[in-house]
Amino acid sequence: MSNTIIQYIAVRSDLIATLNWPKGAVITQACHASTAAIHLNREDEIVRRYLKELDSMHKVVLEVPSEESLVNLSKKLTDSNINHKLWIEQPENIPTCLATKPDLKEILKPLFKGYKLYN
């Protein structure tokens, strides 16, 4: 049983490939989602452990192809009782990415099977 704590971040690949967003703007979306997910769960014991190890945080950034796939992933996580933040860019109201609450790798990894690293 692994004690590794990890945060998964899923970012829409079509933001750059199809919608021509600047790379920096997409990176910013992932940063917003990650920060929000941690903040919303800041009282959680696993999140506290994650934050104690600032120099050895584990994150995995994956890509999802579209808004629909991102929303479906969010629903899957909700159905699996995984705390996460679906980041919706305002004022455009566009879902751009999501980030999980940092949690044990063995809990999160199976839910992200089949997704590729963001490229």
Side-chain angles (χ1 to χ4, degrees):
M1 187 142 129
S2 171
N3 288 330
T4 301
I5 300 172
I6 193 164
Q7 182 179 43
Y8 279 84
I9 301 166
V11 181
R12 287 175 50 188
S13 59
D14 67 330
L15 294 175
I16 292 175
T18 305
L19 301 175
N20 298 314
W21 282 38
K23 288 178 186 175
V26 175
I27 292 168
T28 301
Q29 299 300 301
C31 292
H32 289 328
S34 174
T35 302
I38 291 171
H39 178 72
L40 291 170
N41 295 280
R42 65 191 174 278
E43 301 301 325
D44 182 273
E45 183 57 34
I46 292 176
V47 174
R48 288 175 181 237
R49 284 178 34 211
Y50 182 76
L51 292 173
K52 282 183 180 179
E53 301 295 329
L54 287 178
D55 293 329
S56 61
M57 291 180 165
H58 293 87
K59 287 182 175 47
V60 176
V61 181
L62 303 171
E63 63 182 31
V64 294
S66 65
E67 179 178 336
E68 179 182 8
S69 59
L70 180 67
V71 170
N72 288 340
L73 176 58
S74 179
K75 289 177 185 171
K76 176 181 174 181
L77 294 174
T78 299
D79 291 346
S80 299
N81 295 313
I82 300 298
N83 289 350
H84 67 284
K85 175 62 177 172
L86 175 63
W87 188 260
I88 301 177
E89 181 63 9
Q90 298 299 328
E92 298 86 354
N93 207 37
I94 299 172
T96 58
C97 59
L98 65 75
T100 65
K101 166 188 92 76
D103 212 333
L104 297 176
K105 184 176 183 178
E106 64 193 30
I107 292 171
L108 295 177
K109 186 176 180 177
L111 296 166
F112 289 90
K113 188 174 183 177
Y115 292 96
K116 296 179 182 177
L117 289 175
Y118 190 87
N119 185 10

